[in-house]
Amino acid sequence: MMSETVYKGLAVMSLMFASLVGVQSNAMADVALSKVLLVATVNSGPAMLPLTWKIYRLDKDKSTLATSLSRHSANIQLEPGVYRADVTFNDGSVSRSRTFDLRTVSSSNVIVAMD
C-alpha cells in the first residue's frame, strides 16, 4: 500500500501538470491574429470572375497551405508570419503569386492584378 505522503505528492504533481497545460493552451490562444484583405483585380477594379486563392505559410524551406478561398476578395485572419498567395482564374488562363509578411503588421492589404 502507498503511504499518505506518496498520495499527497502525486496529487500535487498532478495539479502542477494540469496548471502548466492550462498556461500553455492559454498562451496559444493569445497569439494576435493579423487581418488580411485579399483582392484580385482586373483593369484596376475587382476581378468579379471565378478564381481561387491558396494561401501558404512559408517557414524556412517549407510551405504549408493555410487556407483556400474561391472568391475575388475576402477578409481573413492569419497568425504572424510570412505567406504566399497563389491566385488562379478557375479556367486556368491566368495565375499570379504574391508574398507578404505579417510578422510586423497587424493588418495588410494583398492586391493581386490578374491582367
Side-chain angles (χ1 to χ4, degrees), residues 9-34:
L10 288 173
V12 168
M13 289 182 68
S14 295
L15 287 172
M16 287 175 47
F17 177 75
S19 67
L20 287 174
V21 170
V23 167
Q24 183 179 8
S25 64
N26 286 341
M28 295 293 283
D30 290 341
V31 171
L33 298 178
S34 295

Side-chain angles (χ1 to χ4, degrees), residues 7-107:
Y7 279 121
K8 285 180 182 178
L10 288 173
V12 168
M13 289 182 68
S14 295
L15 287 172
M16 287 175 47
F17 177 75
S19 67
L20 287 174
V21 170
V23 167
Q24 183 179 8
S25 64
N26 286 341
M28 295 293 283
D30 290 341
V31 171
L33 298 178
S34 295
K35 296 175 184 175
V36 181
L37 172 63
L38 305 171
V39 179
T41 64
V42 173
N43 295 326
S44 300
M48 304 299 284
L49 295 167
L51 54 82
T52 301
W53 291 84
K54 290 190 178 185
I55 310 299
Y56 295 91
R57 182 178 175 92
L58 306 177
D59 291 312
K60 298 182 182 171
D61 295 331
K62 181 173 102 172
S63 63
T64 306
L65 183 64
T67 190
S68 180
L69 307 154
S70 294
R71 49 186 177 245
H72 70 88
S73 65
N75 282 301
I76 62 173
Q77 293 186 340
L78 297 169
E79 291 183 5
V82 178
Y83 292 86
R84 183 183 74 237
D86 292 344
V87 189
T88 305
F89 281 131
N90 287 356
D91 67 3
S93 61
V94 178
S95 183
R96 301 279 190 266
S97 289
R98 164 101 11 112
T99 302
F100 56 101
D101 189 344
L102 298 176
R103 291 180 294 192
T104 59
V105 296
S106 61
S107 66

